[in-house]
Amino acid sequence: MRGRHQPWSRERRVVSPTRRQPQSPSSRRLVAGIACLAGLSVSAVVWFRPSPQGGGGAPCPHSRVETKRVGVRDINGRSVFEGVPCEEAVVDAGLCFRNEELYCLPSFIIGGAQKAATGWLRQWLATHPELSQGGEHEVHYFDKLEDSRASDWSSRYLPFFRTASTRHYSFEKTPDYLPNATALAAIRGLLPSVKLVFLLRAPAARAYSAFQHHCRRLRIGAIPASRRSARLRAATTHEAVVFSLEATRAQWARCETLRPPCSPEAFESFLATYDNASTRIVDWGLYALHLANVRSIFPDDQIFVAIGEVALARASAFFEDVVAWLGIRRFDFATLPTYRDALGRQQLRQPGIFGFFDMWYMRLNVAMVHKHAARPMLARTKTRLGAFYKPHNLKLDALLLYQAPAISVFPPRSTIDDGRKRSLLPPSWGGGTTPSS
């Protein structure tokens, strides 16, 4: 992978040229014989290299995967495969490989939703002494595949998960996996027993947050009236606001990039331009639809769904439930040092001198405050989005309460006086089956 350390690459030795000397026929035959033997040795190394598949040294591309593999050691109750893994090897979540350094495939994945506090969850779980985070923030491997076959996992995915010990369980976070059916199928194909954690946020608030997120990355633009196409003029009387990742090249060329923070009026125009669900900024909040797709690929007992607003408000109980579900030992996250950044958000203080300077940078980051200082969503826009999302929220609540009891949820399911189950969704979601606590 370009620009990234490749743990399986071998250093090539550069030999400086020397002056050639005349050789006798016998010397030439000797050199040719040595070269032939060397070539055969190299071929043997290439085609019969040790692999996690085993197969008694059969060529990796053609060998059948066996249950009992060659070169496996059991360390701290986990299987560690020695040597270079083959791309075609059948693997699973949590398996480890050692080739000078130790790499362990993730045991669980935080797969979404985008702008629903997944970064907060990743940051806190990474402090658990038995967990090891893969990638600095987000990995984005499965959502970049062209199909559901993760054919280059050992060279492009495994290197993210260098692990200090087999006592550490790796995980990754990529919130774009939840709405991506191809990514989910690829995860299931490579890591069939991996656990999935999804954090959900009120979809209208999530959509506005996502809009501002892309605005800060200069992906939101407005097309002036003089440059608008006839289709856009017919579609809306508002200013045409488009998203660079979904606009055509011709549309984006006519745009004037909006500077952050984008106005709530621009968000309203954006919704009018895209007619709500035709943009991922809106349809990524159709959680019932996406979870139904997840359930068609993964068993329910491998899925944990949390309501983000409740998880943030009851963080200690939430972390305790997640840790218990993952099957790792209990850890008191409340003992970790924290501080408030310039936006008033609680942040973990990192250890050492770099953590000290990072804390003060986050406390005094005026530019971050300006970029995040967006005005609240317009009331009429909030009402419109609330009406759009309400039937989908009802389906989500019914799914988690009644249709999929094997899915672990937070807050935990409970009942009210008449025996009905209490809605999991807080009032800010605007649509549950029963009154929320």
Side-chain angles (χ1 to χ4, degrees), residues 36-260:
C36 182
L37 290 174
L40 291 174
S41 300
V42 170
S43 299
V45 170
V46 171
W47 289 105
F48 297 93
R49 59 184 179 178
S51 76
Q53 288 178 263
C60 177
H62 309 293
S63 61
R64 299 185 62 182
V65 179
E66 300 176 357
T67 304
K68 295 182 179 180
R69 310 182 186 195
V70 175
V72 180
R73 289 194 299 161
D74 186 81
I75 303 176
N76 297 324
R78 299 178 70 184
S79 297
V80 178
F81 302 110
E82 300 291 344
V84 180
C86 298
E87 304 285 4
E88 296 82 2
V90 173
V91 295
D92 202 352
L95 294 186
C96 298
F97 302 85
R98 187 188 299 279
N99 185 48
E100 298 180 358
E101 294 182 285
L102 182 67
Y103 295 81
C104 295
L105 287 166
S107 297
F108 71 97
I109 294 174
I110 302 172
Q114 188 197 52
K115 307 311 296 178
T118 55
W120 165 79
L121 177 59
R122 170 199 60 79
Q123 186 183 31
W124 282 82
L125 288 182
T127 63
H128 192 288
E130 291 184 7
L131 296 181
S132 176
Q133 173 194 330
E136 293 183 4
H137 297 288
E138 298 177 0
V139 173
H140 287 285
Y141 170 72
F142 294 103
D143 58 326
K144 303 300 182 184
L145 298 176
E146 295 182 358
D147 54 43
S148 60
R149 294 172 298 176
S151 57
D152 55 358
W153 66 271
S154 68
S155 58
R156 289 187 54 222
Y157 190 59
L158 186 61
F160 283 108
F161 302 101
R162 185 166 55 187
T163 310
S165 167
T166 53
R167 291 188 173 90
H168 294 172
Y169 294 89
S170 302
F171 73 97
E172 68 132 311
K173 183 207 79 150
T174 303
D176 295 16
Y177 291 162
L178 173 58
N180 192 321
T182 301
L184 292 168
I187 294 171
R188 177 68 171 169
L190 183 67
L191 310 171
S193 69
V194 74
K195 294 187 173 184
L196 301 175
V197 179
F198 299 111
L199 211 58
L200 309 181
R201 178 184 182 183
R206 193 218 69 82
Y208 190 50
S209 179
F211 178 78
Q212 295 294 345
H213 166 82
H214 292 295
C215 180
R216 289 190 295 272
R217 282 154 179 76
L218 305 180
R219 297 170 183 162
I220 304 296
I223 304 178
S226 59
R227 302 181 187 175
R228 288 166 59 188
S229 65
R231 185 187 67 81
L232 282 178
R233 285 196 297 271
T236 177
T237 57
H238 296 79
E239 178 184 40
V241 178
V242 298
F243 179 27
S244 66
L245 301 184
E246 295 174 339
T248 65
R249 183 175 298 181
Q251 283 179 332
W252 190 246
R254 295 195 299 270
C255 278
E256 295 177 357
T257 305
L258 299 183
R259 298 295 170 181

